[in-house]
Amino acid sequence: EAGVAQSPRYKIIEKRQSVAFWCNPISGHATLYWYQQILGQGPKLLIQFQNNGVVDDSQLPKDRFSAERLKGVDSTLKIQPAKLEDSAVYLCASSLNSVSTDTQYFGPGTRLTVL
Amino acid sequence: AQSVAQPEDQVNVAEGNPLTVKCTYSVSGNPYLFWYVQYPNRGLQFLLKYITGDNLVKGSYGFEAEFNKSQTSFHLKKPSALVSDSALYFCAVRDLSSGQAGTALIFGKGTTLSVSS
């Protein structure tokens, strides 16, 4: 079974530029998460989708971050404009459903460096 | 509010010795607890989870964890450490009664395990 795919793996941009990350979840997984992992910290949720609907985006900085999952499969996370503090690893995860006992499976992440 | 604490930034053990990585949690209801491992430049890999039932949970790669409700702990253990176990370990919790809209995990800050040969 293929895992969660993410691209690109690495991205370097200058502040105020825009950037987009892509995620393709495990086939058949209805729930998709984006997490931000800053160096030295655990991952923190940015947004959760159930199919193509948003379940929780309470911690998404909506003035600069946006995400979509238009067809309920793959997803894109965008930052515009980027700030220095956005330097982090962006992890995508998926689970079968939004059942609380479901295991989340993570992709390899995209490491973003903002200069 | 939900929270997870991993009190040790780093744990050092010799190969062949038992290892323990500590985790304590704070939730208002019944917790669902998870352990993940992260190798350099890779995503998090699921090790095991506690949902209900037996307090001793067995997981991947010979790891196990013991749920202790009275001490609000969920320590990760392995009887005999391998050099290849060296990695960053994360404990995470999900609390059904927190009122949060979704089912996201709350992670600790991680513990680096270093196993020497």
Side-chain angles (χ1 to χ4, degrees):
Chain A
E1 175 181 271
V4 177
Q6 290 188 248
S7 67
R9 292 294 312 277
Y10 305 92
K11 190 73 177 179
I12 300 174
I13 62 172
E14 296 193 349
K15 59 183 179 183
R16 292 188 289 273
Q17 287 187 324
S18 62
V19 65
F21 313 128
W22 175 82
C23 172
N24 192 35
I26 293 172
S27 178
H29 280 196
T31 308
L32 185 147
Y33 307 81
W34 282 102
Y35 288 85
Q36 180 191 56
Q37 184 180 13
I38 293 173
L39 186 65
Q41 300 180 19
K44 293 183 179 178
L45 180 76
L46 290 174
I47 190 168
Q48 176 184 345
F49 291 95
Q50 176 71 13
N51 296 310
N52 61 351
V54 175
V55 174
D56 184 357
D57 64 355
S58 58
Q59 299 180 72
L60 186 74
K62 298 180 185 64
D63 58 334
R64 297 183 301 105
F65 285 65
S66 65
E68 60 184 15
R69 195 185 183 200
L70 294 177
K71 297 183 178 179
V73 180
D74 56 348
S75 175
T76 302
L77 176 69
K78 297 179 181 178
I79 308 175
Q80 181 179 6
K83 293 185 175 181
L84 296 177
E85 58 261 36
D86 297 333
S87 293
V89 176
Y90 291 84
L91 295 165
C92 179
S94 69
S95 64
L96 196 57
N97 279 300
S98 289
V99 176
S100 295
T101 54
D102 278 353
T103 298
Q104 294 179 27
Y105 296 94
F106 286 78
T110 296
R111 182 178 298 277
L112 173 67
T113 302
V114 182
L115 302 175
Chain B
Q2 310 168 75
S3 66
V4 173
Q6 294 182 242
E8 302 156 317
D9 289 338
Q10 181 149 346
V11 171
N12 299 309
V13 298
E15 188 174 32
N17 284 357
L19 69 88
T20 299
V21 182
K22 296 180 180 178
C23 171
T24 59
Y25 64 89
S26 175
V27 299
S28 54
N30 292 320
Y32 293 160
L33 294 154
F34 300 77
W35 275 101
Y36 285 84
V37 59
Q38 187 174 37
Y39 295 98
N41 299 316
R42 298 181 66 176
L44 278 70
Q45 296 180 30
F46 170 73
L47 282 177
L48 51 81
K49 65 181 177 183
Y50 171 82
I51 303 302
T52 187
D54 194 348
N55 289 343
L56 185 64
V57 179
K58 294 190 181 297
S60 305
Y61 313 119
F63 284 93
E64 57 189 26
E66 186 170 10
F67 172 66
N68 188 317
K69 188 172 184 177
S70 62
Q71 297 185 5
T72 62
S73 67
F74 189 55
H75 300 333
L76 182 70
K77 300 181 179 183
K78 188 173 182 181
S80 179
L82 299 172
V83 172
S84 57
D85 292 331
S86 299
L88 182 58
Y89 290 80
F90 288 98
C91 181
V93 68
R94 182 184 291 143
D95 174 16
L96 279 185
S97 62
S98 68
Q100 69 180 56
T103 51
L105 294 171
I106 305 298
F107 285 87
K109 64 178 182 179
T111 298
T112 299
L113 173 66
S114 179
V115 182
S116 57
S117 57

